[in-house]
Amino acid sequence: DGLREEVFEFLDGIESSGGLRVGDFPMGLEWLNSKPLSMKKELKGKLLLLDFWTYCCINCMHVLPDLAYLEETYASDAFAVVGVHSAKFDNEQLSSQIRAAVLRYDIAHPVVNDPDMRLWQRLGIDSWPTFALVSPRSGKLIAKLSGEGHRSDLDALIPIALDYYAQDLDARPV
């Protein structure tokens, strides 16, 4: 189909060009719902969706059902979601406050607290929430979507990307 061909061509371009390599998570960050994860180990071979959020952002709360839907829909695939908590205000940097929000909103996926917004800056994120989709082959950024209302976009892109990267995937749980 036309969309599949367009996405494959787009991904070919990203994989063959320089592109923005996401890189690993900075050392020493606090993790919730998981031990510290690495792009080179536990997340290698996963189509990774990074969710840049902060717990005082109502729009970030509005996309939680979308994330839960995607996690459930692609649970048997080599797809993973990691929340990257990027505080807007100083009081939002405390892991204890983030942990309370994770529990309050029943967030089950791994969450990393990036209080200095190092990942945010590295990827040029400029608003909450933002989704960043990462290649399982090269670790390059393949899509960045800001704001609400992207469930159908991601639900269209993810299976095509999983098909494109089929030989690179590792479906073992994170």
Side-chain angles (χ1 to χ4, degrees), residues 114-157:
D114 188 15
D116 298 323
M117 299 174 82
R118 290 181 276 178
L119 287 169
W120 172 285
Q121 292 167 4
R122 186 188 309 157
L123 299 184
I125 307 298
D126 60 7
S127 62
W128 297 270
T130 294
F131 299 123
L133 196 61
V134 182
S135 162
R137 178 182 302 161
S138 63
K140 292 178 182 177
L141 183 66
I142 58 175
K144 186 166 68 169
L145 303 162
S146 296
E148 296 181 53
H150 295 293
R151 178 193 292 200
S152 62
D153 300 325
L154 289 165
D155 200 24
L157 178 57

Side-chain angles (χ1 to χ4, degrees), residues 51 53 58-69 129 131 147-151:
D51 170 32
W53 70 291
I58 190 65
N59 304 90
C60 297
M61 301 306 104
H62 289 167
V63 301
L64 289 174
D66 297 344
L67 290 171
Y69 166 83
F131 299 123
E148 296 181 53
H150 295 293
R151 178 193 292 200

Side-chain angles (χ1 to χ4, degrees), residues 55 61 97-107:
Y55 70 82
M61 301 306 104
Q97 301 282 17
I98 300 163
R99 184 175 293 107
V102 165
L103 292 171
R104 181 170 55 251
Y105 295 109
D106 199 27
I107 298 170

Side-chain angles (χ1 to χ4, degrees), residues 1 14 26 38 43 63 80 84 92 98 100 103 136 150 156 164:
D1 112 310
I14 287 175
S38 169
L43 297 170
V63 301
V84 182
E92 295 175 337
I98 300 163
L103 292 171
H150 295 293
Y164 177 85

